[in-house]
Amino acid sequence: MRHHLILRVITKLLVSSIILFALYVQFHGDFSPGGGFQAGVIMAVAFILYGIVFGLEKVQAVFPAWLVHKLMALGVLVYAGTGVLSMFLGYNFLDYGAFSPDHPSHGQHWGILAVEFGVGVTVSGVMVAIYYAFALRRPAISDEDW
Amino acid sequence: MVEMFVDITLFVMLVATAIAIVRMRQLFGVVMMAGVFSLLSAMLLVALDAVDVAFTEAAVGAGISTVLMLSTLTLTSRIEIPATRSPLIPLLVVTVTGAAIIYGTLDMPSFGDPNAPAQVGVAAQYLAQSPEEIGIPNVVTVILAGYRSFDTLGEVAVVFTAGVGVLMLISGLRRRRRKPDNESRGKTS
Amino acid sequence: MFDVDFILGHLNYWLFTVLMMTGLYIVVAKGNLIKKIVGLNLFQTAVFMFYISLSKVTGGTAPIFPVDMKIDPTVVYSNPLPHVLILTAIVVGISTTSLALALVVRISEEFGTIEEDEILAITTELSHLENKELGEAMGGRG
């Protein structure tokens, strides 16, 4: 898309604010609409937009495929690890009271934050990985034919 | 009254979009119409008080889903060949199924009924207890990651599995690692 | 039984059923695989809206408390449980849709088409050829 000047400039302006918005949705999800699923998707959208406009090589220089594949698994591990950690602390699986025995509702806050983080990481990783997989294939029709 | 007017308007637009999807043969237009359909349904979901769901639907349905469909179009074809079969049998199937579903809804509680079984069960308990037990304003987040976190762990695992499945199907990661991929690439093309 | 209140109270279920059936029609009647997937998505979205409409309470509002957690007991909140189920279902839905799209890409690479009729014709021809070969190997007349 070398010839689309306006798209390139607007994308450069937008990508950073999309990432900021994704982080807001992720960590403010306790108080307003949002959470890990939405934040993961929005984060992925930022990278996908960059990839569509500037090409796959540019975005993979920032966010390489091997890292995306690790992140996919990391999110599930964070989620399940939160549960296993609470088991090691002597509580039930995913019983967030374990993280702050004196003040149970604080423990709930920590647990929900950790779990939502895991969800966000997995969802954004999976979405970006799927986009990379589709974009790596050789297109049957070239860019100019659209 | 105003709410109902908004609902009906949005619904008419949804049906118009759906009919356009049925009739259109340019797949590019079909995919764009699917994005429009998602955005309209997100608006309807806001009118139904489901702000979190509307947020997700707008991000997923109009954002990612459109991108993935378009990248599939670049890899396959862009025009649908008109079907040679007669549409009578599908119409019959659809009418019978729809009639069965509508017959099933006759026994359901009416729209917005506060005493419906869905409203008085465990959900009322969540709404009443979550302020003391957890103390997070967004009840949807509380149920998602707190009360029902086992469910969500399963859903995350499903998302992960689907991602792995896509990678195994079309990324060609496995092939590249084994050998410098002339032989197997030639077979598929 | 069929008075105005009943019809208005059930109209939303019937409208969403109409949308669902439009999606089902696309899946059954159209031969193009991408269009089938779009139809499936349509069906899915209609089911989501149907489900969410079950959670609506008359006069209710979105299930988010005030930030300072001073909850006014007179405020009615809609049922948050269906919201949670559908929220996760949407993300799982896009994952499975992308899996379906990946399968379509592979099918198109193998068969050179994504029209159901053409794929069926190619597979029938292939199985005929294979049967003939096997029949000759067993001593049949081909």
Side-chain angles (χ1 to χ4, degrees):
Chain A
M1 289 217 182
R2 198 142 298 153
H3 44 289
H4 293 302
L5 180 66
I6 297 176
L7 276 182
R8 274 168 33 220
V9 173
I10 296 291
T11 304
K12 277 187 182 174
L13 286 174
L14 273 181
V15 164
S16 55
S17 45
I18 292 176
I19 292 178
L20 194 64
F21 182 60
L23 291 173
Y24 167 78
V25 170
Q26 171 82 54
F27 294 109
H28 206 262
D30 298 356
F31 305 99
S32 59
F37 283 102
Q38 293 94 329
V41 170
I42 295 171
M43 183 70 95
V45 162
F47 289 105
I48 291 174
L49 175 66
Y50 197 83
I52 287 174
V53 174
F54 290 98
L56 205 59
E57 297 82 24
K58 287 275 173 59
V59 71
Q60 287 199 336
V62 183
F63 200 29
W66 62 265
L67 181 63
V68 179
H69 298 158
K70 300 280 185 298
L71 283 182
M72 278 168 63
L74 179 75
V76 184
L77 279 180
V78 167
Y79 199 129
T82 311
V84 173
L85 184 64
S86 70
M87 265 169 81
F88 277 128
L89 291 172
Y91 285 68
N92 287 332
F93 187 68
L94 287 172
D95 185 353
Y96 308 137
F99 303 125
S100 174
D102 310 327
H103 204 309
S105 93
H106 277 189
Q108 301 285 345
H109 287 208
W110 283 112
I112 287 178
L113 208 64
V115 160
E116 289 272 7
F117 179 71
V119 173
V121 168
T122 290
V123 170
S124 64
V126 167
M127 294 302 157
V128 174
I130 290 172
Y131 168 69
Y132 281 178
F134 275 96
L136 267 175
R137 292 261 148 180
R138 184 191 303 253
I141 37 184
S142 73
D143 199 14
E144 279 72 27
D145 286 349
W146 276 88
Chain B
M1 197 63 220
V2 176
E3 202 173 332
M4 191 155 181
F5 178 72
V6 170
D7 286 358
I8 298 284
T9 314
L10 282 175
F11 182 79
V12 170
M13 288 162 82
L14 278 172
V15 169
T17 318
I19 290 174
I21 292 175
V22 175
R23 298 196 58 85
M24 219 176 252
R25 296 233 318 277
Q26 288 277 347
L27 289 177
F28 183 77
V30 168
V31 171
M32 283 301 151
M33 278 295 174
V36 170
F37 188 87
S38 280
L39 266 187
L40 286 172
S41 67
M43 287 186 214
L44 197 56
L45 290 172
V46 171
L48 292 171
D49 291 345
V51 280
D52 280 89
V53 184
F55 196 170
T56 321
E57 178 68 38
V60 167
I64 301 247
S65 153
T66 311
V67 169
L68 291 181
M69 297 247 184
L70 286 182
S71 27
T72 313
L73 286 194
T74 60
L75 296 171
T76 55
S77 74
R78 277 182 298 161
I79 303 219
E80 180 202 5
I81 298 167
T84 48
R85 293 165 293 181
S86 94
L88 278 180
I89 293 174
L91 271 179
L92 186 74
V93 169
V94 163
T95 318
V96 170
T97 319
I101 292 177
I102 286 178
Y103 176 69
T105 62
L106 293 182
D107 287 339
M108 288 176 69
S110 61
F111 179 64
D113 183 3
N115 297 316
Q119 256 68 271
V120 295
V122 70
Q125 217 174 321
Y126 289 154
L127 273 172
Q129 289 176 358
S130 81
E132 300 102 65
E133 282 184 355
I134 294 181
I136 284 177
N138 189 350
V139 189
V140 176
T141 301
V142 170
I143 299 179
L144 181 88
Y147 291 116
R148 297 266 173 136
S149 49
F150 270 51
D151 285 14
T152 313
L153 179 58
E155 307 270 12
V156 173
V158 170
V159 172
F160 172 71
T161 314
V164 171
V166 171
L167 291 185
M168 289 180 77
L169 274 173
I170 61 169
S171 79
L173 282 178
R174 179 95 178 276
R175 249 181 266 145
R176 203 176 304 145
R177 201 176 299 153
R178 251 196 231 148
K179 55 183 83 165
D181 91 342
N182 334 331
E183 189 187 315
S184 45
R185 182 61 58 83
K187 213 184 288 173
T188 52
S189 60
Chain C
M1 188 184 176
F2 289 98
D3 51 3
V4 177
D5 275 351
F6 183 83
I7 290 176
L8 281 183
H10 289 68
L11 189 62
N12 61 316
Y13 304 138
W14 302 338
L15 297 180
F16 291 138
T17 309
V18 170
L19 275 184
M20 265 181 235
M21 289 307 115
T22 318
L24 186 63
Y25 176 79
I26 298 177
V27 176
V28 179
K30 301 293 172 179
N32 188 291
L33 292 181
I34 290 182
K35 201 155 176 185
K36 271 179 195 281
I37 292 175
V38 170
L40 211 57
N41 270 335
L42 221 82
F43 189 101
Q44 198 181 18
T45 314
V47 172
F48 292 160
M49 289 188 284
F50 181 86
Y51 213 103
I52 292 296
S53 78
L54 292 178
S55 76
K56 171 79 176 165
V57 179
T58 310
T61 181
I64 297 177
F65 297 135
V67 178
D68 53 5
M69 297 301 284
K70 287 186 183 120
I71 299 158
D72 182 0
T74 58
V75 175
V76 181
Y77 291 103
S78 286
N79 188 347
L81 193 52
H83 299 186
V84 174
L85 302 179
I86 297 308
L87 184 109
T88 50
I90 289 176
V91 179
V92 170
I94 179 65
S95 308
T96 48
T97 301
S98 57
L99 196 61
L101 289 173
L103 281 171
V104 170
V105 169
R106 293 289 296 125
I107 286 173
S108 140
E109 283 173 355
E110 290 292 327
F111 290 93
T113 174
I114 53 168
E115 299 291 333
E116 195 186 42
D117 295 344
E118 295 175 8
I119 294 169
L120 278 178
I122 292 173
T123 44
T124 341
E125 197 175 325
L126 281 179
S127 67
H128 270 242
L129 281 177
E130 195 182 355
N131 282 348
K132 202 176 167 196
E133 223 167 75
L134 285 175
E136 274 166 7
M138 300 279 281
R141 281 175 292 147

